[in-house]
Amino acid sequence: MKVTLSALDTYESSFTPLVVIELAQDVKEETKEWLKNRIIAKKKDGGAQLLFKPLLNKYETETLEHHNLYLVGASQIRLLLGAEAVGLVKECNDNTMRAFTYGTRQNFKGFDDNNDDFLTMAECQFIIKHELENLRARDEKMIPGYPQAKLYPGKSLLRRLLTSGIVIQVFPLHDPEALKKLEDTWYTRFTLKYQPIDSIRGYFGETIALYFGFLEYFTFALIPMAVIGLPYYLFAWEDYDKYVIFASFNLIWSTVILEVWKRGCANMTYRWGTLLMKRQFEEPRPGFHGVLGINSITGREEPVYSSFKRQLRIYLVSLPFVCLCLYFSLYVMMIYFDMEVWALSLHEDSGSEWTNILLYVPSIIYAIIIEIMNRLYRYAAEFLTSWENHRLESAYQNHLVLKVLVFNFLNCFASLFYIAFVLKDMKLLRQSLATLLITSQLLNQIVESLLPYWLQKKHGVQVKRRVQALKADIDVALYEQVILEKEMGTYMGTFDDYLELFLQFGYVSLFSCVYPLAAAFAVLNNFTEVNSDALKMCRVLKRPFSEPSASIGVWQLAFETMSVISVVTNCALIGMSPQVNAVFPESKTDLILIVVAVEHALLALKFILAFAIPDKPRHIQMKLARLEFESLEALKQQQMKLVAENLKEEPREDIKEKAA
């Protein structure tokens, strides 16, 4: 017997709360009732058919705060049918990966009707989020109780509730027992070991697991650079002949590690099923607005905004603003060089130990200012990109990443390029590079993890005291957990984490022949970064919703672009060395031509390596080809079956016509 959604019971007496919805304090009762009915209503009636109940009952809301919090869950059958709807891919008993269907559930490895662990908690929360976001307006013209909050057919109710301020936030709950197990194997014991990437994926989802997988891979990939760089540090800095081999190794290294990562990423995402997941049709962003119109693809009513107006906003407002910020960054850089000249002249006049230390002060101040400017610009870039009114979240993210990368690249590396190619002061370049790298790493560790953790721990003690003082008969553990987590900071995604690694990659690769010790500092930082980021995810910020992902996305291209730029900078630095210049004492043109030729040869080698190393391992390619072949064969069988059925029906129709 086929199980349908209409057969499910949405009024189970008890259920595991997976997601919390927080409403505004002054939300009207009719709005709450309407939202509840839409969430628990059957799918055929336009509902999500989920389990829904308030955190506190009617008596408790009169004596306690936080009566605007609601818990959402789902029955096991509902979650399995939801897994089919979102296209989750799971491993079958024959070790192949296939899209899960409820009708063939017994064919999947680890499935049992009495086993609730077939779907991870992260997958369950993703399914609930998907169902909530797909609650759509039907006949409603407005949100009950709020005439100004207009609705139209096909509009996502949750997105409208969020933009109108009726719903404050929607977030998934932590599982205390599973979290404790994950922490014990992840970061609580500071030992040199591999991260439990599959466990991280099971708890936080593929996107975050891929970030930690890339962080671990990048850290281990830096070790050869660090080991080779340490002996070079012991030699005289001015002997550039020694650095030609090191720079060449760096160029090959940066290409190989990125290509090998693609293969490792394909292995992981195939095992997790996301490499095979079909991409869902993207809905408009929550902040997207425009005149009501018809989407030509879906046929739904949704806002329509002129692409021409968007381009005007981009080129007449956003682009000039970014250019102005870049100019301001360069202006601050010139002030930094004035400070360097002042510190150097002071040291030359006195020559004391204090003035020797003072030589590093301008670089430290400039590094701090760079971090502040990067963060301020990030807020401005987010505001501008939102104002540009992109319809899709992917388009929004691409424009935001482009704005932030351009500014961060110039802000962090412009001074190094100026020192290297204008001032040609290698000693100052080493000093500035070391100061910028170490200072930025220390600031990121403090600002991103240690300070938030201290504040969150202090807040957690206050919440426990308030809960312990309550006399009400409630589930204290659940109440305390929800109140504590709702006031945690929101994880804004992996953007800042990848950006930090991108800038670190730039510090290591762009000027490796001048400061080979950079890789060693990066390794030391990343070993602590793994633990501080894990602490941040588990104890400082709200648990994020799981997001299926098959790669690190646009960041792969960003890292590859940085490796290409590093070829140019390292070749130019080697060409500027006194030893190389001594070979061409008269003709600088010959030197430039040879440096350019070597650079082009290395770039050619780089692209040959990238082409020669397949993005996916052979066994993954074979499995994907097999699945594609089986899908085509199944489609042919279905078409042949339809043709056969039509042929059987045609004679009967002819007989009926003759009889008539």
Side-chain angles (χ1 to χ4, degrees), residues 377-395:
Y377 177 81
R378 170 70 185 275
Y379 293 124
E382 287 177 347
F383 173 80
L384 270 180
T385 311
S386 179
W387 178 73
E388 288 166 5
N389 199 26
H390 296 280
R391 179 183 176 272
L392 301 180
E393 184 65 27
S394 58

Side-chain angles (χ1 to χ4, degrees), residues 210 261 265 269 274 498 549-554:
L210 278 177
W261 162 253
C265 182
T269 53
T274 52
Y498 279 119
S549 182
S551 68
I552 62 174
V554 70

Side-chain angles (χ1 to χ4, degrees), residues 271-291:
R271 188 172 72 248
W272 296 340
T274 52
L275 190 64
L276 302 171
M277 278 188 73
K278 294 181 180 178
R279 188 178 176 183
Q280 299 285 332
F281 179 78
E282 269 194 275
E283 297 290 335
R285 292 177 54 246
F288 178 67
H289 60 273
V291 180

Side-chain angles (χ1 to χ4, degrees), residues 42 110-111 157 168 375 410 436 495 541 567 571 587 604 645:
K42 297 183 184 300
F111 180 85
L157 296 180
I168 302 299
R375 294 179 188 279
L410 186 78
L436 288 174
F495 184 96
L541 301 175
V567 173
C571 287
S587 176
E645 290 177 354

Side-chain angles (χ1 to χ4, degrees), residues 214 218 221-222 225 250-258 409 413 433 437 441 498-512 518-519 522 526 555-567 570 606:
F214 182 74
F218 182 56
L222 282 168
M225 285 287 290
N250 179 17
L251 303 179
I252 298 172
W253 167 84
S254 62
T255 303
V256 171
I257 65 163
L258 293 174
F409 182 84
F413 301 118
L433 178 57
L437 175 63
Q441 289 177 345
Y498 279 119
L499 179 61
E500 186 179 341
L501 289 180
F502 172 77
L503 296 176
Q504 184 187 90
F505 182 66
Y507 285 126
V508 170
S509 62
L510 288 178
F511 304 99
S512 60
N526 288 357
W555 292 104
Q556 181 77 34
L557 178 61
F559 278 88
E560 290 172 353
T561 304
M562 181 67 83
S563 68
V564 171
I565 298 172
S566 71
V567 173
N570 282 283
K606 183 179 180 63

